[in-house]
Amino acid sequence: GRDIGGSAVVNCRAQAGGRRARCDVAGETPAGHGFGRAAQDLSRHFRINPRTVDGAAVGSRVSINLRFVPPAN
């Protein structure tokens, strides 16, 4: 069945305006169950605050770890 949990890590580039530009899958556990793809699909809803240098927002990369837990029976 599909009642397994897992995790995935995505690396995203934060834009100065707070929108994420693109997230790439950096890894998933266990492999081959679609957790990386699911995390990448969810990433379109992320809002990432960019890093600031001397008070000005600059683009930066951030790594996000997501954990997937199967529903309780």
Side-chain angles (χ1 to χ4, degrees):
R2 303 290 295 170
D3 294 334
I4 62 164
S7 64
V9 177
V10 289
N11 287 323
C12 304
R13 178 157 176 80
Q15 300 254 359
R19 296 184 336 266
R20 64 118 188 137
R22 189 173 110 210
C23 294
D24 299 312
V25 178
E28 64 179 344
T29 304
H33 288 275
F35 292 114
R37 170 68 146 244
Q40 197 172 30
D41 288 347
L42 286 171
S43 71
R44 72 176 185 264
H45 300 291
F46 297 169
R47 191 155 175 84
I48 302 166
N49 292 326
R51 158 176 94 87
T52 58
V53 175
D54 295 328
V58 295
S60 59
R61 292 200 71 79
V62 63
S63 183
I64 301 168
N65 190 346
L66 293 138
R67 193 167 71 120
F68 296 90
V69 178
N73 290 335

